[in-house]
Amino acid sequence: MKVAVLDIKGKETGRKVDLSDDVFAIEPNEHAIYLDVKQYLAHQRQGTHKAKERAEIVGSTRKIKKQKGTGTARAGSIKSPIFRGGGRIFGPRPKDYVQKLNKNVKRLARKSALTLKSKEKALVVVEDFNFEAPKTKDFKAFLASLGIENKKSLIVLGDSNNNVYLSSRNLERSEVVTSSELSTYKIVNAGNVVLTESALEGIESNLKK
């Protein structure tokens, strides 16, 4: 499948690139996408949540009132969960949320996500570009030239570019990553995906393995 290459002003350069059918035109596997996204979101959790149970509360061990004659329920420990300041019943404990996923499934998920973006006409290829200095204004002009300034966008570069990254950092709905940082979640989460030519080469070489 051939796609026109645009310049930084959103105009066609007269060149076209071939999108590999092995990456951008496969039969999408939505379950693979689901598994990869679930793993990504699970790995965002630190798992450091912890609440003290009654055995971990520091406090007096004396019986707080006599057993009978008070007219209320019997009570022994101030650390009981029914009292303010007492322990928590079945509270959260530290947990490892790591999920294992086969590399081939992760590769299939990324290819499926890219295929869906390609089918939705939400994938654009631009020539490699750079800014002289980090300026949000220049990056917004770049997005406007592509008609995606008001949409969630993912810009994929071949290599890290500090000027482009810093120019995008103030924009909440836009994210800049390199081809090696590309994940299924980032692709699915974006409304439009913009690939530079060098990023396209990196993605195809990674996913054709």
Side-chain angles (χ1 to χ4, degrees), residues 19-61:
L19 297 184
S20 172
D21 289 345
D22 294 334
V23 177
F24 296 93
I26 67 167
E27 182 66 32
N29 188 317
E30 294 189 356
H31 187 63
I33 294 176
Y34 159 74
L35 291 175
D36 200 8
V37 169
K38 185 175 76 164
Q39 184 201 46
Y40 178 89
L41 293 175
H43 288 183
Q44 304 309 300
R45 304 185 67 174
Q46 290 184 336
T48 54
H49 39 51
K50 178 70 175 74
K52 289 184 178 181
E53 299 185 0
R54 66 182 296 166
E56 300 167 308
I57 298 293
V58 176
S60 173
T61 57

Side-chain angles (χ1 to χ4, degrees), residues 2-7 11-18 125-128 197 201:
K2 289 187 177 293
V3 175
V5 178
L6 307 181
D7 61 16
K11 297 179 180 178
E12 291 191 12
T13 60
R15 293 183 291 110
K16 291 190 175 183
V17 292
D18 274 320
V125 179
V126 298
E127 61 182 5
D128 293 340
E197 288 182 278
E201 294 175 7

Side-chain angles (χ1 to χ4, degrees), residues 75-106:
S77 173
I78 196 67
K79 297 183 281 187
S80 171
I82 65 174
F83 294 126
R84 181 178 178 274
R88 182 169 173 186
I89 304 173
F90 304 126
R93 296 180 177 182
K95 179 180 177 181
D96 184 4
Y97 285 96
V98 169
Q99 296 181 8
K100 292 185 178 180
L101 195 61
N102 190 296
K103 283 184 179 180
N104 288 332
V105 175
K106 291 174 71 70

Side-chain angles (χ1 to χ4, degrees), residues 189-208:
N189 189 46
N192 291 78
V193 178
V194 179
L195 307 177
T196 62
E197 288 182 278
S198 57
L200 181 60
E201 294 175 7
I203 291 170
E204 290 186 346
S205 64
N206 288 337
L207 297 182
K208 278 185 178 180

